[in-house]
Amino acid sequence: MENYQALREEIVSSAQELTRKGYLMATGGNVSVRASDKSGFAITPSNYDYMKMKPADVCVLDMDLNILAGERKPSVEAGMHCAIYLARPDVNVIVHTHQVYASTLTLIQAPIPALFDEQARFLGRSVEIIPYAPSGTGFLSSTVAKYVRGHNNAFLMQNHGTLVFGTNMERAIHNVEILEKCSLAYLIALCSEKKVTRIPAAIREIALIKLKKDQQRVIKGEPHNSSE
Ligand SMILES: [Zn+2]
């Protein structure tokens, strides 16, 4: 596998950025990044303060969940991250958060339809609910792996939190931010008890074509234009 240090530094800086922005709280949630040779991934350690975290605290695992580096215990959700990487060759970064507004939608089991152009462009056709399964279990990993197939980059985990994907870290953090904006807007719209309108289906499908193109480029190892 490539240089562990670069992967570990990326995890620390991104976990701290997500904490500063309020998407990760206390020790909740986790972040992983896949090695570019696809042989494994780096992930935040279990139950450890993100703002105290140093690159040496970050765990590096292979795709059989053997620990290659890191003195701390990996996140209990390492198995879930691994299952997602195996199911989604286009995904190189996974962020799992307990962010408040998206988590609220998981309580009322409200999947988010295509409400905004940028949502369809970056998160996919809709944000679906993944049924409840206890944290850190093989049951959660297998349930999640089944639901994340396809092209969507954000999911709501029932009575738990979110799962957000990206082809790279910048895109994954951007997707976390889009998800929270959509969640808050949708919650307020639902509270109004008025009809919630969606973007036209044709626009949604055009956005999805662009998203799929990005994903194909990543699978083929081509650079993708993030400004598109
Ligand atoms: Zn969690």
Side-chain angles (χ1 to χ4, degrees):
M1 204 188 289
E2 67 202 58
N3 184 358
Y4 294 162
Q5 187 62 16
L7 292 177
R8 294 164 116 185
E9 283 171 5
E10 192 175 18
I11 292 285
V12 171
S13 63
S14 55
Q16 292 183 348
E17 181 182 344
L18 287 160
T19 304
R20 276 193 299 273
K21 288 179 169 175
Y23 299 110
L24 294 179
M25 284 145 269
T27 60
N30 33 67
V31 180
S32 74
V33 56
R34 183 176 354 215
S36 57
D37 66 3
K38 316 272 186 200
S39 61
F41 59 98
I43 188 166
T44 43
S46 178
N47 203 23
Y48 194 67
D49 187 326
Y50 295 117
M51 298 315 280
K52 288 189 194 147
M53 195 183 297
K54 304 264 181 306
D57 297 317
V58 174
C59 308
V60 182
L61 308 180
D62 68 16
M63 300 309 278
D64 295 316
L65 300 179
N66 298 308
I67 298 174
L68 305 176
E71 282 155 30
R72 295 189 179 276
K73 238 174 103 206
S75 162
V76 292
E77 303 299 6
M80 175 180 78
H81 286 245
C82 189
I84 295 165
Y85 287 128
L86 292 172
R88 288 284 300 267
D90 60 294
V91 170
N92 289 321
V93 173
I94 300 168
V95 181
H96 162 58
T97 75
H98 299 165
Q99 61 195 69
V100 176
Y101 296 120
S103 297
T104 306
L105 289 175
T106 79
L107 305 180
I108 56 173
Q109 298 219 52
I112 311 173
L115 303 176
F116 301 103
D117 293 358
E118 60 167 4
Q119 176 202 349
R121 171 68 182 84
F122 295 107
L123 304 187
R125 198 175 264 146
S126 58
V127 181
E128 296 296 328
I129 305 278
I130 298 175
Y132 181 82
S135 287
T137 62
F139 183 50
L140 178 63
S141 300
S142 58
T143 304
V144 165
K146 199 164 62 194
Y147 276 81
V148 300
R149 293 204 174 93
H151 301 277
N152 289 345
N153 278 332
F155 296 85
L156 300 172
M157 301 166 74
Q158 186 192 341
N159 292 75
H160 186 168
T162 75
L163 264 178
V164 179
F165 307 153
T167 47
N168 58 32
M169 188 62 79
E170 188 188 347
R171 191 56 76 79
I173 292 174
H174 179 233
N175 289 349
V176 167
E177 291 174 319
I178 293 175
L179 175 61
E180 195 67 339
K181 176 241 170 168
C182 292
S183 300
L184 176 56
Y186 193 39
L187 275 168
I188 295 171
L190 290 174
C191 288
S192 76
E193 297 185 356
K194 298 215 163 99
K195 183 178 185 299
V196 180
T197 58
R198 304 175 182 191
I199 59 171
I203 300 291
R204 183 193 68 198
E205 294 307 307
I206 290 168
L208 192 68
I209 289 167
K210 288 186 182 168
L211 177 64
K212 285 182 184 173
K213 270 193 194 154
D214 285 349
Q215 294 173 344
Q216 279 307 317
R217 284 193 201 113
V218 168
I219 291 168
K220 288 185 199 153
E222 298 167 8
H224 68 269
N225 179 359
S226 58
S227 64
E228 229 179 83

PDB file of all heavy atoms in Angstrom, residues 113-117 119-122 124-126 151-152 198-213:
ATOM      1  N   PRO A 113     -36.612  13.466  -1.385  1.00  0.00           N
ATOM      2  CA  PRO A 113     -36.702  13.397  -2.858  1.00  0.00           C
ATOM      3  C   PRO A 113     -35.799  14.467  -3.472  1.00  0.00           C
ATOM      4  O   PRO A 113     -35.177  15.237  -2.732  1.00  0.00           O
ATOM      5  CB  PRO A 113     -38.182  13.698  -3.115  1.00  0.00           C
ATOM      6  CG  PRO A 113     -38.620  14.527  -1.952  1.00  0.00           C
ATOM      7  CD  PRO A 113     -37.784  14.117  -0.773  1.00  0.00           C
ATOM      8  N   ALA A 114     -35.715  14.534  -4.793  1.00  0.00           N
ATOM      9  CA  ALA A 114     -34.865  15.537  -5.456  1.00  0.00           C
ATOM     10  C   ALA A 114     -35.500  16.918  -5.312  1.00  0.00           C
ATOM     11  O   ALA A 114     -36.448  17.261  -6.023  1.00  0.00           O
ATOM     12  CB  ALA A 114     -34.678  15.173  -6.917  1.00  0.00           C
ATOM     13  N   LEU A 115     -34.985  17.711  -4.388  1.00  0.00           N
ATOM     14  CA  LEU A 115     -35.556  19.031  -4.089  1.00  0.00           C
ATOM     15  C   LEU A 115     -34.799  20.161  -4.770  1.00  0.00           C
ATOM     16  O   LEU A 115     -35.375  21.197  -5.071  1.00  0.00           O
ATOM     17  CB  LEU A 115     -35.525  19.277  -2.571  1.00  0.00           C
ATOM     18  CG  LEU A 115     -36.240  18.253  -1.683  1.00  0.00           C
ATOM     19  CD1 LEU A 115     -36.009  18.599  -0.218  1.00  0.00           C
ATOM     20  CD2 LEU A 115     -37.724  18.210  -1.993  1.00  0.00           C
ATOM     21  N   PHE A 116     -33.489  19.974  -4.950  1.00  0.00           N
ATOM     22  CA  PHE A 116     -32.630  21.043  -5.491  1.00  0.00           C
ATOM     23  C   PHE A 116     -31.722  20.465  -6.572  1.00  0.00           C
ATOM     24  O   PHE A 116     -31.326  19.290  -6.498  1.00  0.00           O
ATOM     25  CB  PHE A 116     -31.746  21.626  -4.381  1.00  0.00           C
ATOM     26  CG  PHE A 116     -32.511  22.201  -3.221  1.00  0.00           C
ATOM     27  CD1 PHE A 116     -32.631  21.501  -2.025  1.00  0.00           C
ATOM     28  CD2 PHE A 116     -33.116  23.447  -3.318  1.00  0.00           C
ATOM     29  CE1 PHE A 116     -33.330  22.022  -0.954  1.00  0.00           C
ATOM     30  CE2 PHE A 116     -33.824  23.978  -2.248  1.00  0.00           C
ATOM     31  CZ  PHE A 116     -33.931  23.266  -1.062  1.00  0.00           C
ATOM     32  N   ASP A 117     -31.350  21.326  -7.545  1.00  0.00           N
ATOM     33  CA  ASP A 117     -30.466  20.877  -8.635  1.00  0.00           C
ATOM     34  C   ASP A 117     -29.146  20.324  -8.103  1.00  0.00           C
ATOM     35  O   ASP A 117     -28.682  19.274  -8.513  1.00  0.00           O
ATOM     36  CB  ASP A 117     -30.147  22.040  -9.587  1.00  0.00           C
ATOM     37  CG  ASP A 117     -31.369  22.514 -10.358  1.00  0.00           C
ATOM     38  OD1 ASP A 117     -32.443  21.913 -10.172  1.00  0.00           O
ATOM     39  OD2 ASP A 117     -31.245  23.472 -11.134  1.00  0.00           O
ATOM     40  N   GLN A 119     -28.403  19.136  -5.275  1.00  0.00           N
ATOM     41  CA  GLN A 119     -28.597  17.873  -4.552  1.00  0.00           C
ATOM     42  C   GLN A 119     -28.571  16.696  -5.528  1.00  0.00           C
ATOM     43  O   GLN A 119     -27.868  15.708  -5.315  1.00  0.00           O
ATOM     44  CB  GLN A 119     -29.933  17.912  -3.801  1.00  0.00           C
ATOM     45  CG  GLN A 119     -30.288  16.612  -3.099  1.00  0.00           C
ATOM     46  CD  GLN A 119     -31.784  16.493  -2.842  1.00  0.00           C
ATOM     47  OE1 GLN A 119     -32.544  17.454  -2.992  1.00  0.00           O
ATOM     48  NE2 GLN A 119     -32.203  15.305  -2.454  1.00  0.00           N
ATOM     49  N   ALA A 120     -29.348  16.804  -6.619  1.00  0.00           N
ATOM     50  CA  ALA A 120     -29.391  15.717  -7.607  1.00  0.00           C
ATOM     51  C   ALA A 120     -28.026  15.526  -8.258  1.00  0.00           C
ATOM     52  O   ALA A 120     -27.591  14.403  -8.509  1.00  0.00           O
ATOM     53  CB  ALA A 120     -30.445  16.019  -8.664  1.00  0.00           C
ATOM     54  N   ARG A 121     -27.325  16.652  -8.489  1.00  0.00           N
ATOM     55  CA  ARG A 121     -26.024  16.592  -9.165  1.00  0.00           C
ATOM     56  C   ARG A 121     -24.978  15.856  -8.321  1.00  0.00           C
ATOM     57  O   ARG A 121     -24.146  15.129  -8.856  1.00  0.00           O
ATOM     58  CB  ARG A 121     -25.561  18.030  -9.476  1.00  0.00           C
ATOM     59  CG  ARG A 121     -24.153  18.174  -9.988  1.00  0.00           C
ATOM     60  CD  ARG A 121     -24.029  17.578 -11.381  1.00  0.00           C
ATOM     61  NE  ARG A 121     -22.664  17.669 -11.864  1.00  0.00           N
ATOM     62  CZ  ARG A 121     -21.707  16.791 -11.580  1.00  0.00           C
ATOM     63  NH1 ARG A 121     -21.981  15.747 -10.818  1.00  0.00           N
ATOM     64  NH2 ARG A 121     -20.507  16.941 -12.073  1.00  0.00           N
ATOM     65  N   PHE A 122     -24.993  16.087  -7.012  1.00  0.00           N
ATOM     66  CA  PHE A 122     -23.915  15.530  -6.183  1.00  0.00           C
ATOM     67  C   PHE A 122     -24.343  14.375  -5.273  1.00  0.00           C
ATOM     68  O   PHE A 122     -23.533  13.506  -4.969  1.00  0.00           O
ATOM     69  CB  PHE A 122     -23.260  16.643  -5.345  1.00  0.00           C
ATOM     70  CG  PHE A 122     -22.560  17.654  -6.209  1.00  0.00           C
ATOM     71  CD1 PHE A 122     -23.093  18.911  -6.398  1.00  0.00           C
ATOM     72  CD2 PHE A 122     -21.376  17.323  -6.853  1.00  0.00           C
ATOM     73  CE1 PHE A 122     -22.456  19.838  -7.220  1.00  0.00           C
ATOM     74  CE2 PHE A 122     -20.740  18.244  -7.671  1.00  0.00           C
ATOM     75  CZ  PHE A 122     -21.268  19.498  -7.857  1.00  0.00           C
ATOM     76  N   GLY A 124     -27.303  12.491  -5.858  1.00  0.00           N
ATOM     77  CA  GLY A 124     -28.021  11.456  -6.606  1.00  0.00           C
ATOM     78  C   GLY A 124     -29.513  11.708  -6.635  1.00  0.00           C
ATOM     79  O   GLY A 124     -29.998  12.770  -6.248  1.00  0.00           O
ATOM     80  N   ARG A 125     -30.246  10.707  -7.096  1.00  0.00           N
ATOM     81  CA  ARG A 125     -31.672  10.859  -7.393  1.00  0.00           C
ATOM     82  C   ARG A 125     -32.501  11.167  -6.147  1.00  0.00           C
ATOM     83  O   ARG A 125     -33.486  11.881  -6.193  1.00  0.00           O
ATOM     84  CB  ARG A 125     -32.146   9.554  -8.037  1.00  0.00           C
ATOM     85  CG  ARG A 125     -33.430   9.667  -8.774  1.00  0.00           C
ATOM     86  CD  ARG A 125     -33.755   8.366  -9.466  1.00  0.00           C
ATOM     87  NE  ARG A 125     -33.343   8.356 -10.856  1.00  0.00           N
ATOM     88  CZ  ARG A 125     -32.910   7.293 -11.506  1.00  0.00           C
ATOM     89  NH1 ARG A 125     -32.808   6.127 -10.886  1.00  0.00           N
ATOM     90  NH2 ARG A 125     -32.583   7.368 -12.767  1.00  0.00           N
ATOM     91  N   SER A 126     -32.111  10.566  -5.010  1.00  0.00           N
ATOM     92  CA  SER A 126     -32.830  10.801  -3.745  1.00  0.00           C
ATOM     93  C   SER A 126     -31.914  10.374  -2.604  1.00  0.00           C
ATOM     94  O   SER A 126     -30.895   9.719  -2.841  1.00  0.00           O
ATOM     95  CB  SER A 126     -34.127   9.986  -3.701  1.00  0.00           C
ATOM     96  OG  SER A 126     -33.811   8.615  -3.843  1.00  0.00           O
ATOM     97  N   HIS A 151     -25.972   4.665  -7.417  1.00  0.00           N
ATOM     98  CA  HIS A 151     -25.172   5.872  -7.639  1.00  0.00           C
ATOM     99  C   HIS A 151     -25.354   6.945  -6.577  1.00  0.00           C
ATOM    100  O   HIS A 151     -24.688   7.965  -6.631  1.00  0.00           O
ATOM    101  CB  HIS A 151     -25.505   6.450  -9.019  1.00  0.00           C
ATOM    102  CG  HIS A 151     -25.242   5.474 -10.118  1.00  0.00           C
ATOM    103  ND1 HIS A 151     -23.990   5.286 -10.651  1.00  0.00           N
ATOM    104  CD2 HIS A 151     -26.050   4.571 -10.726  1.00  0.00           C
ATOM    105  CE1 HIS A 151     -24.051   4.338 -11.565  1.00  0.00           C
ATOM    106  NE2 HIS A 151     -25.287   3.892 -11.634  1.00  0.00           N
ATOM    107  N   ASN A 152     -26.259   6.737  -5.640  1.00  0.00           N
ATOM    108  CA  ASN A 152     -26.499   7.786  -4.647  1.00  0.00           C
ATOM    109  C   ASN A 152     -25.307   7.941  -3.707  1.00  0.00           C
ATOM    110  O   ASN A 152     -24.647   6.954  -3.351  1.00  0.00           O
ATOM    111  CB  ASN A 152     -27.758   7.475  -3.832  1.00  0.00           C
ATOM    112  CG  ASN A 152     -29.021   7.640  -4.653  1.00  0.00           C
ATOM    113  OD1 ASN A 152     -28.997   8.248  -5.729  1.00  0.00           O
ATOM    114  ND2 ASN A 152     -30.120   7.086  -4.171  1.00  0.00           N
ATOM    115  N   ARG A 198     -40.837  19.361  -6.064  1.00  0.00           N
ATOM    116  CA  ARG A 198     -39.559  18.754  -6.427  1.00  0.00           C
ATOM    117  C   ARG A 198     -39.042  19.394  -7.699  1.00  0.00           C
ATOM    118  O   ARG A 198     -39.821  20.023  -8.415  1.00  0.00           O
ATOM    119  CB  ARG A 198     -39.743  17.250  -6.661  1.00  0.00           C
ATOM    120  CG  ARG A 198     -40.351  16.580  -5.462  1.00  0.00           C
ATOM    121  CD  ARG A 198     -40.643  15.118  -5.732  1.00  0.00           C
ATOM    122  NE  ARG A 198     -41.278  14.533  -4.563  1.00  0.00           N
ATOM    123  CZ  ARG A 198     -41.468  13.246  -4.389  1.00  0.00           C
ATOM    124  NH1 ARG A 198     -41.098  12.389  -5.329  1.00  0.00           N
ATOM    125  NH2 ARG A 198     -42.047  12.789  -3.300  1.00  0.00           N
ATOM    126  N   ILE A 199     -37.758  19.171  -8.026  1.00  0.00           N
ATOM    127  CA  ILE A 199     -37.267  19.662  -9.316  1.00  0.00           C
ATOM    128  C   ILE A 199     -37.868  18.779 -10.421  1.00  0.00           C
ATOM    129  O   ILE A 199     -38.245  17.621 -10.166  1.00  0.00           O
ATOM    130  CB  ILE A 199     -35.716  19.664  -9.393  1.00  0.00           C
ATOM    131  CG1 ILE A 199     -35.135  18.262  -9.176  1.00  0.00           C
ATOM    132  CG2 ILE A 199     -35.127  20.670  -8.408  1.00  0.00           C
ATOM    133  CD1 ILE A 199     -33.640  18.181  -9.462  1.00  0.00           C
ATOM    134  N   PRO A 200     -37.958  19.282 -11.664  1.00  0.00           N
ATOM    135  CA  PRO A 200     -38.522  18.450 -12.743  1.00  0.00           C
ATOM    136  C   PRO A 200     -37.691  17.173 -12.919  1.00  0.00           C
ATOM    137  O   PRO A 200     -36.468  17.202 -12.802  1.00  0.00           O
ATOM    138  CB  PRO A 200     -38.405  19.361 -13.978  1.00  0.00           C
ATOM    139  CG  PRO A 200     -38.278  20.752 -13.441  1.00  0.00           C
ATOM    140  CD  PRO A 200     -37.590  20.625 -12.122  1.00  0.00           C
ATOM    141  N   ALA A 201     -38.389  16.072 -13.204  1.00  0.00           N
ATOM    142  CA  ALA A 201     -37.721  14.774 -13.345  1.00  0.00           C
ATOM    143  C   ALA A 201     -36.632  14.811 -14.419  1.00  0.00           C
ATOM    144  O   ALA A 201     -35.574  14.196 -14.269  1.00  0.00           O
ATOM    145  CB  ALA A 201     -38.754  13.698 -13.652  1.00  0.00           C
ATOM    146  N   ALA A 202     -36.876  15.572 -15.504  1.00  0.00           N
ATOM    147  CA  ALA A 202     -35.891  15.622 -16.599  1.00  0.00           C
ATOM    148  C   ALA A 202     -34.589  16.259 -16.115  1.00  0.00           C
ATOM    149  O   ALA A 202     -33.490  15.796 -16.451  1.00  0.00           O
ATOM    150  CB  ALA A 202     -36.458  16.412 -17.776  1.00  0.00           C
ATOM    151  N   ILE A 203     -34.694  17.310 -15.323  1.00  0.00           N
ATOM    152  CA  ILE A 203     -33.502  17.993 -14.775  1.00  0.00           C
ATOM    153  C   ILE A 203     -32.764  17.041 -13.830  1.00  0.00           C
ATOM    154  O   ILE A 203     -31.540  16.938 -13.840  1.00  0.00           O
ATOM    155  CB  ILE A 203     -33.924  19.281 -14.013  1.00  0.00           C
ATOM    156  CG1 ILE A 203     -34.651  20.232 -14.940  1.00  0.00           C
ATOM    157  CG2 ILE A 203     -32.732  19.927 -13.330  1.00  0.00           C
ATOM    158  CD1 ILE A 203     -33.802  20.860 -16.016  1.00  0.00           C
ATOM    159  N   ARG A 204     -33.529  16.347 -13.011  1.00  0.00           N
ATOM    160  CA  ARG A 204     -32.948  15.381 -12.071  1.00  0.00           C
ATOM    161  C   ARG A 204     -32.148  14.320 -12.827  1.00  0.00           C
ATOM    162  O   ARG A 204     -31.030  13.973 -12.440  1.00  0.00           O
ATOM    163  CB  ARG A 204     -34.086  14.717 -11.276  1.00  0.00           C
ATOM    164  CG  ARG A 204     -33.614  13.748 -10.219  1.00  0.00           C
ATOM    165  CD  ARG A 204     -34.779  12.919  -9.705  1.00  0.00           C
ATOM    166  NE  ARG A 204     -35.277  12.014 -10.746  1.00  0.00           N
ATOM    167  CZ  ARG A 204     -36.472  11.413 -10.736  1.00  0.00           C
ATOM    168  NH1 ARG A 204     -37.316  11.640  -9.759  1.00  0.00           N
ATOM    169  NH2 ARG A 204     -36.826  10.604 -11.720  1.00  0.00           N
ATOM    170  N   GLU A 205     -32.709  13.829 -13.913  1.00  0.00           N
ATOM    171  CA  GLU A 205     -32.037  12.761 -14.662  1.00  0.00           C
ATOM    172  C   GLU A 205     -30.789  13.276 -15.380  1.00  0.00           C
ATOM    173  O   GLU A 205     -29.792  12.550 -15.483  1.00  0.00           O
ATOM    174  CB  GLU A 205     -33.003  12.104 -15.647  1.00  0.00           C
ATOM    175  CG  GLU A 205     -34.139  11.346 -14.961  1.00  0.00           C
ATOM    176  CD  GLU A 205     -33.663  10.328 -13.930  1.00  0.00           C
ATOM    177  OE1 GLU A 205     -32.825   9.473 -14.272  1.00  0.00           O
ATOM    178  OE2 GLU A 205     -34.131  10.381 -12.771  1.00  0.00           O
ATOM    179  N   ILE A 206     -30.803  14.532 -15.857  1.00  0.00           N
ATOM    180  CA  ILE A 206     -29.603  15.112 -16.481  1.00  0.00           C
ATOM    181  C   ILE A 206     -28.488  15.222 -15.436  1.00  0.00           C
ATOM    182  O   ILE A 206     -27.322  14.909 -15.692  1.00  0.00           O
ATOM    183  CB  ILE A 206     -29.921  16.501 -17.109  1.00  0.00           C
ATOM    184  CG1 ILE A 206     -30.808  16.311 -18.334  1.00  0.00           C
ATOM    185  CG2 ILE A 206     -28.637  17.246 -17.486  1.00  0.00           C
ATOM    186  CD1 ILE A 206     -31.429  17.588 -18.866  1.00  0.00           C
ATOM    187  N   ALA A 207     -28.860  15.671 -14.234  1.00  0.00           N
ATOM    188  CA  ALA A 207     -27.874  15.789 -13.144  1.00  0.00           C
ATOM    189  C   ALA A 207     -27.288  14.417 -12.826  1.00  0.00           C
ATOM    190  O   ALA A 207     -26.075  14.276 -12.595  1.00  0.00           O
ATOM    191  CB  ALA A 207     -28.533  16.389 -11.905  1.00  0.00           C
ATOM    192  N   LEU A 208     -28.148  13.417 -12.844  1.00  0.00           N
ATOM    193  CA  LEU A 208     -27.686  12.060 -12.516  1.00  0.00           C
ATOM    194  C   LEU A 208     -26.703  11.543 -13.567  1.00  0.00           C
ATOM    195  O   LEU A 208     -25.733  10.853 -13.234  1.00  0.00           O
ATOM    196  CB  LEU A 208     -28.892  11.138 -12.396  1.00  0.00           C
ATOM    197  CG  LEU A 208     -28.577   9.775 -11.786  1.00  0.00           C
ATOM    198  CD1 LEU A 208     -28.196   9.919 -10.314  1.00  0.00           C
ATOM    199  CD2 LEU A 208     -29.780   8.842 -11.904  1.00  0.00           C
ATOM    200  N   ILE A 209     -26.937  11.892 -14.823  1.00  0.00           N
ATOM    201  CA  ILE A 209     -26.010  11.478 -15.894  1.00  0.00           C
ATOM    202  C   ILE A 209     -24.625  12.057 -15.630  1.00  0.00           C
ATOM    203  O   ILE A 209     -23.603  11.368 -15.751  1.00  0.00           O
ATOM    204  CB  ILE A 209     -26.559  11.907 -17.275  1.00  0.00           C
ATOM    205  CG1 ILE A 209     -27.766  11.042 -17.641  1.00  0.00           C
ATOM    206  CG2 ILE A 209     -25.474  11.818 -18.353  1.00  0.00           C
ATOM    207  CD1 ILE A 209     -28.584  11.549 -18.810  1.00  0.00           C
ATOM    208  N   LYS A 210     -24.561  13.333 -15.212  1.00  0.00           N
ATOM    209  CA  LYS A 210     -23.272  13.972 -14.899  1.00  0.00           C
ATOM    210  C   LYS A 210     -22.601  13.277 -13.708  1.00  0.00           C
ATOM    211  O   LYS A 210     -21.389  13.038 -13.711  1.00  0.00           O
ATOM    212  CB  LYS A 210     -23.480  15.455 -14.574  1.00  0.00           C
ATOM    213  CG  LYS A 210     -23.820  16.293 -15.785  1.00  0.00           C
ATOM    214  CD  LYS A 210     -23.860  17.757 -15.394  1.00  0.00           C
ATOM    215  CE  LYS A 210     -24.245  18.622 -16.582  1.00  0.00           C
ATOM    216  NZ  LYS A 210     -24.562  19.982 -16.193  1.00  0.00           N
ATOM    217  N   LEU A 211     -23.393  12.963 -12.709  1.00  0.00           N
ATOM    218  CA  LEU A 211     -22.845  12.277 -11.522  1.00  0.00           C
ATOM    219  C   LEU A 211     -22.277  10.908 -11.906  1.00  0.00           C
ATOM    220  O   LEU A 211     -21.171  10.539 -11.493  1.00  0.00           O
ATOM    221  CB  LEU A 211     -23.947  12.119 -10.466  1.00  0.00           C
ATOM    222  CG  LEU A 211     -23.570  11.360  -9.189  1.00  0.00           C
ATOM    223  CD1 LEU A 211     -22.499  12.109  -8.406  1.00  0.00           C
ATOM    224  CD2 LEU A 211     -24.789  11.164  -8.305  1.00  0.00           C
ATOM    225  N   LYS A 212     -23.021  10.178 -12.726  1.00  0.00           N
ATOM    226  CA  LYS A 212     -22.568   8.846 -13.159  1.00  0.00           C
ATOM    227  C   LYS A 212     -21.273   8.957 -13.959  1.00  0.00           C
ATOM    228  O   LYS A 212     -20.401   8.093 -13.851  1.00  0.00           O
ATOM    229  CB  LYS A 212     -23.639   8.155 -14.009  1.00  0.00           C
ATOM    230  CG  LYS A 212     -24.811   7.622 -13.203  1.00  0.00           C
ATOM    231  CD  LYS A 212     -25.771   6.931 -14.152  1.00  0.00           C
ATOM    232  CE  LYS A 212     -27.019   6.446 -13.471  1.00  0.00           C
ATOM    233  NZ  LYS A 212     -28.009   5.936 -14.403  1.00  0.00           N
ATOM    234  N   LYS A 213     -21.158  10.018 -14.782  1.00  0.00           N
ATOM    235  CA  LYS A 213     -19.924  10.219 -15.569  1.00  0.00           C
ATOM    236  C   LYS A 213     -18.734  10.415 -14.644  1.00  0.00           C
ATOM    237  O   LYS A 213     -17.662   9.844 -14.874  1.00  0.00           O
ATOM    238  CB  LYS A 213     -20.082  11.441 -16.479  1.00  0.00           C
ATOM    239  CG  LYS A 213     -20.656  11.108 -17.823  1.00  0.00           C
ATOM    240  CD  LYS A 213     -20.477  12.288 -18.776  1.00  0.00           C
ATOM    241  CE  LYS A 213     -21.353  12.074 -19.999  1.00  0.00           C
ATOM    242  NZ  LYS A 213     -21.729  13.325 -20.640  1.00  0.00           N
TER     243      LYS A 213
END
